Amino acid sequence: MNTKRFLSLLKWNIIGNKRSLLNTILRFGAGIFLINCLCNISSWIGGMADFNAVSIAAKLCAFLFPLVMMAFASELTFNLRTKQTIINYSMLPASNLEKYLSNFLVKTILSALLFFVGLLLADCLQALLTFVIAKTAYFLTPLFFTHIVSFFSSMPEALFLFLLFVHSTFAVASSFFRRRPLLWTTLLWILPMVISFCAGAIFEVLNAFAERNGYVIVMRLHYEDKLVQFIAGLVTVLISAFNYWLSYRLFCRIQVINNKVHN
């Protein structure tokens, strides 16, 4: 991997999509501003600034942030959607690893930065509007980061592993479903939820039937056991790593044109 070439490719990726990135900032800003307006409209009607309303808006933004990052993970092949863009990207003088990492950074780190920029724009606009209405204002951005830190500090290891696994599934789906990957991945995530619900319902029926006949079905899952937690965490990391590797292999396969590997 050539670092200079990789940075040039990353710069080319950003500059070539600057209009899309700007539109993303504006969409984030408009969405966050709308959330804040819905939370503060009652206090604005009363001509006052409500700290609790701003805090609720910050909580909603903190809840949406991981969902937004999962959605962006499904866009790793954003510049490989048509035959012409595949040819153009394949012919760039860079390795497939450099191209994959460039797309990965654009849709993870850069996308998070775009969300924060949109948050700042919306926060400044809502603070200005609130100041005009109520002569005082509360800022949403510090509360957003406070809720993010509080959210991740509650169960840091389990939450990190869960988000890592979910992110990896959306990443591999981005290379597998090149059209509407977010929709298909979401539908695939609904399937195990439905299976879990059905399994729980079946267990309840069996348990009720057993109680009528004088038996009790007991299932004990010792999640508090350190060994069980370690094994579960290790399996999650391995599956996530496999998903990222598979995403990279599928990404490379997309750029095979006329059965010829150009990189």
Side-chain angles (χ1 to χ4, degrees), residues 44-221:
W44 286 346
I45 292 175
M48 57 179 291
D50 190 349
F51 177 82
N52 291 329
V54 177
S55 180
I56 292 174
K59 287 181 180 180
L60 290 175
C61 293
F63 172 77
L64 290 176
F65 176 66
L67 302 181
V68 169
M69 295 309 298
M70 299 304 116
F72 272 112
S74 66
E75 298 291 328
L76 289 180
T77 56
F78 67 98
N79 47 12
L80 297 172
R81 295 295 168 80
T82 65
K83 183 176 181 180
Q84 188 58 48
T85 56
I86 291 174
I87 294 174
N88 294 339
Y89 205 53
S90 298
M91 293 303 178
L92 289 176
S95 66
N96 283 331
L97 179 60
E98 292 166 352
K99 294 176 183 179
Y100 180 81
L101 290 178
S102 175
N103 283 18
F104 190 86
L105 289 178
V106 168
K107 290 302 176 180
T108 52
I109 305 299
L110 182 60
S111 297
L113 294 177
L114 296 180
F115 184 90
F116 297 147
V117 172
L119 177 68
L120 288 173
L121 290 177
D123 194 13
C124 293
L125 185 59
Q126 70 86 18
L128 178 61
L129 182 60
T130 306
F131 184 79
V132 171
I133 295 174
K135 305 306 179 184
T136 184
Y138 298 104
F139 285 96
L140 181 148
T141 304
L143 295 174
F144 167 81
F145 285 106
T146 300
H147 292 311
I148 284 287
V149 172
S150 175
F151 180 66
F152 280 92
S153 61
S154 58
M155 295 183 298
E157 297 85 2
L159 190 58
F160 172 78
L161 291 174
F162 175 74
L163 292 178
L164 177 68
F165 174 71
V166 175
H167 189 273
S168 68
T169 59
F170 277 88
V172 71
S174 68
S175 298
F176 190 79
F177 305 109
R178 281 186 289 159
R179 295 184 183 275
R180 299 181 179 88
L182 178 60
L183 173 63
W184 289 112
T185 312
T186 303
L187 292 176
L188 289 177
W189 263 100
I190 293 176
L191 181 61
M193 294 180 183
V194 173
I195 294 175
S196 300
F197 175 80
C198 294
I202 293 173
F203 176 77
E204 290 296 331
V205 171
L206 292 176
N207 193 34
F209 179 77
E211 287 181 353
R212 289 181 181 178
N213 293 275
Y215 298 98
V216 177
I217 301 176
V218 179
M219 294 182 65
R220 295 181 179 179
L221 300 177

